[in-house]
Amino acid sequence: MRTLLGDLLAHRLSQAPAGALGKRLYDVLQSAIQQGDIATGSRLPASRDLAKELSVSRNTVLSAYEQLQSEGYLQTRTGSGTFVCERLPEIAPEANAPVAAAGKPFNYIRLSSRGTRVLTRSGAGAYQWGAFMPGVPDVSHMPHDIWRKIQLRLSRRMPVEALSYSNHGGCVQLQQALADYLRVIRSLNCSPDQILITAGTHQSLDLLAKMLCDPGDSAWIEEPGYWGFRNVLAVNGVELLPTSVDEQGMVLPNVADFSPAGRPPRLICVTPSHQYPLGSVMSLQRRQQLLALAKNAGSWVVEDDYDGEFRFGDNPIPALQGLSPDAPVIYLGTFSKTLYPGLRLSYMVVPKPLAARMKMAHSELYRGGNGLVQLTLAEFIREGHYAAHVRRMRQLYSRRRAALVEAIVTGLGADFLAQQSNAGLHLILSLPDSIDDVAVAAELEQQGVLTRPLSAYYLRGTSRRGLLLGYACVEEQNMATTFVPVLHCLKRRLKPG
């Protein structure tokens, strides 16, 4: 059987200029090494094996190997074989090589204005795991053994539908399992045909923006709010209208006074169960006012319930979607916080009149797949493992949250704790306006401590200073020690003068 290297050399030999076979093989090997197609330090096939792959004599291969070895490209190791040298001889330019004509260099890379905007406002960090990275669960507690057994069992009798492109908006078994789960846990009014499985909340919102908004339409977004929502909407030509939040959630402005030319927003994007990033929970009265406003204005409410399962102590208020049978609400959920982000599975619950068209558009734009993973998750939920895992993690995160609160209060004082909501996977450490939270976050990152500056979540100039501290992936007994670099960094800046 021919190897990848054998395929490469055979193809290049067939393209090489006519001449002696040994010289052609030498030229092809030298060129592949110089161009990096054969990596430095890599082992070459034995001369007998390569000769068989290329259908040439062994002497032809030996001749090429020996010539390359004499020039410093190859070396032999007794008992191990022939290897490409770690350091190659310098490549001298050929005497007759053409000289590139001088002139204006060709501009190969030119991003669109939308592409430039995405990169300019990017909020994704270089590191996505560690203390105190906000929004990241403790992935080490995922019950992989249970998951693997379910997946192995299912893979033995995979239905053909799960191996092809999805045209139902996702695995129907997962849609059924989610509908049953959400009706009980989050009090949603939904049936399986209203659920659409996506590859992350960003894809969910991208689909909504494409299908429900025209360029120039507006969206109310929370201020401060999640940077990912801002970028996805902006790249789709949606005008962003930042709307302030208080201890009851989004402050609802008068549509005529707030929106351009008195036009109502097409989307109203909220995180009512645990406002991101400040943590307030939208009151029942505010929720009812929001639904009434949306109905009267003809707007869609996009409810991002990104970590609604993690509440510690008090009972959760039902989701917006479940407060009214005809609520103009599109509910977004994800498994990134309850299981792990790399799973890349989220879902939408859309009103019935919209469901079929959204599923068709999703199939056209994204071609859903991962049938085995979706089937495994459906069984994981149906057999009760998902609910049990969430319960265990809720207890674990509650203890870790309490440990972080204690570290902050002990080291800095209670005044440094922002409003608390007994929910989520992060806390806000409030800072005085005199402290540059962006600089603090950058300094801590150099020490291996990952935080996010609160000011980065504001779209307008006016902002509060603080740090988002994620406690989910820091063990309870290590919380105080892990917090020490944050404490030292802030105390240095808080000293008078």
Side-chain angles (χ1 to χ4, degrees):
M1 190 170 107
R2 185 178 284 174
T3 62
L4 288 174
L5 177 59
D7 282 335
L8 173 70
L9 296 178
H11 173 72
R12 294 196 176 180
L13 275 174
S14 68
Q15 304 294 318
L21 183 57
K23 177 64 165 60
R24 287 162 54 201
L25 179 58
Y26 159 80
D27 289 339
V28 165
L29 276 167
Q30 183 193 51
S31 175
I33 293 171
Q34 290 175 344
Q35 295 172 12
D37 297 319
I38 303 177
T40 57
S42 60
R43 185 180 183 276
L44 294 184
S47 57
R48 192 184 306 277
D49 295 337
L50 185 58
K52 187 175 180 180
E53 287 192 57
L54 300 179
S55 300
V56 300
S57 71
R58 186 186 178 198
N59 286 338
T60 299
V61 177
L62 284 172
S63 175
Y65 277 11
E66 290 169 359
Q67 181 65 27
L68 289 168
Q69 183 179 351
S70 68
E71 294 178 3
Y73 288 95
L74 302 181
Q75 59 180 341
T76 58
R77 300 176 191 169
T78 304
S80 298
T82 303
F83 293 81
V84 179
C85 295
E86 293 287 352
R87 185 170 183 176
L88 301 178
E90 292 191 25
I91 305 169
E94 296 183 20
N96 298 323
V99 179
K104 185 178 180 181
F106 185 80
N107 183 15
Y108 286 93
I109 302 174
R110 186 185 68 81
L111 297 180
S112 67
S113 57
R114 288 181 302 175
T116 302
R117 185 173 185 177
V118 168
L119 297 182
T120 301
R121 297 186 175 182
S122 173
Y127 306 99
Q128 296 294 323
W129 169 260
F132 290 96
M133 185 67 187
V136 179
D138 188 340
V139 298
S140 66
H141 284 263
M142 171 72 184
H144 291 291
D145 288 343
I146 296 174
W147 181 276
R148 185 167 50 252
K149 289 177 182 177
I150 295 173
Q151 193 169 65
L152 181 61
R153 185 178 75 237
L154 292 171
S155 65
R156 295 190 182 120
R157 48 183 175 83
M158 282 288 288
V160 293
E161 298 82 13
L163 299 175
S164 186
Y165 296 110
S166 170
N167 60 356
H168 301 290
C171 164
V172 293
Q173 293 89 337
L174 180 55
Q175 291 166 337
Q176 179 66 63
L178 271 173
D180 295 340
Y181 175 83
L182 292 171
R183 282 195 297 264
V184 174
I185 301 300
R186 300 298 293 125
S187 302
L188 262 65
N189 292 313
C190 68
S191 56
D193 61 305
Q194 292 177 254
I195 296 178
L196 169 60
I197 310 299
T198 66
T201 300
H202 284 209
Q203 188 184 87
S204 297
L205 187 62
D206 185 62
L207 179 62
L208 292 177
K210 284 179 167 60
M211 295 302 294
L212 300 180
C213 300
D214 290 315
D217 283 345
S218 63
W220 288 0
I221 59 171
E222 295 170 329
E223 176 78 340
Y226 177 48
W227 55 265
F229 268 34
R230 299 198 305 246
N231 284 349
V232 172
L233 292 172
V235 82
N236 281 286
V238 179
E239 183 180 3
L240 306 178
L241 300 177
T243 308
S244 60
V245 298
D246 61 16
E247 65 280 356
Q248 296 186 58
M250 177 184 278
V251 177
L252 304 177
N254 183 285
V255 172
D257 295 340
F258 186 72
S259 298
R263 292 172 55 197
R266 188 64 175 148
L267 304 177
I268 303 175
C269 302
V270 290
T271 51
S273 297
H274 184 229
Q275 199 279 326
Y276 193 86
L278 294 180
S280 59
V281 178
M282 185 177 283
S283 66
L284 182 59
Q285 180 183 9
R286 186 73 59 83
R287 292 170 187 240
Q288 293 169 338
Q289 291 172 348
L290 173 57
L291 291 179
L293 183 152
K295 288 180 181 179
N296 293 333
S299 304
W300 290 104
V301 176
V302 180
E303 178 181 10
D304 181 15
D305 199 21
Y306 65 99
D307 64 0
E309 288 90 348
F310 297 126
R311 298 195 59 78
F312 317 119
D314 51 343
N315 293 323
I317 299 175
L320 268 173
Q321 194 272 357
L323 291 180
S324 172
D326 59 344
V329 176
I330 298 168
Y331 178 93
L332 307 185
T334 181
F335 295 100
S336 292
K337 305 296 185 288
T338 52
L339 296 179
Y340 58 93
L343 191 64
R344 302 316 305 141
L345 278 183
S346 295
Y347 55 91
M348 295 194 292
V349 180
V350 299
K352 284 191 175 184
L354 197 57
R357 284 175 282 184
M358 295 299 288
K359 290 179 180 180
M360 184 181 298
H362 182 270
S363 180
E364 286 294 318
L365 293 173
Y366 310 114
R367 309 300 287 167
N370 297 316
L372 178 57
V373 174
Q374 292 193 34
L375 276 173
T376 303
L377 180 54
E379 284 296 288
F380 191 75
I381 295 172
R382 190 186 64 79
E383 294 177 3
H385 304 300
Y386 180 69
H389 175 66
V390 170
R391 284 195 299 271
R392 287 193 298 269
M393 299 311 292
R394 186 186 297 124
Q395 295 170 359
L396 182 71
Y397 295 152
S398 178
R399 296 194 298 269
R400 293 181 178 182
R401 180 186 178 281
L404 179 56
V405 169
E406 181 179 358
I408 293 172
V409 172
T410 302
L412 295 169
D415 291 342
F416 284 81
L417 276 174
Q419 59 192 36
Q420 301 181 45
S421 61
N422 292 322
L425 299 178
H426 74 268
L427 288 174
I428 296 290
L429 178 65
S430 291
L431 297 178
D433 291 341
S434 58
I435 292 184
D436 184 347
D437 56 359
V438 175
V440 171
E443 179 180 330
L444 289 173
E445 183 174 319
Q446 295 299 315
Q447 302 178 50
V449 178
L450 306 176
T451 66
R452 288 286 178 88
L454 177 59
S455 62
Y457 292 82
Y458 287 82
L459 191 59
R460 296 178 295 205
T462 304
S463 63
R464 289 172 52 182
R465 301 300 177 96
L467 296 176
L468 274 70
L469 300 178
Y471 46 78
C473 56
V474 183
E475 294 185 4
E476 181 183 349
Q477 63 271 23
N478 298 332
M479 192 69 71
T481 304
T482 309
F483 186 69
V484 168
V486 182
L487 187 62
H488 288 169
C489 180
L490 293 179
K491 283 191 171 182
R492 210 168 50 246
R493 285 172 163 78
L494 290 167
K495 285 182 179 179

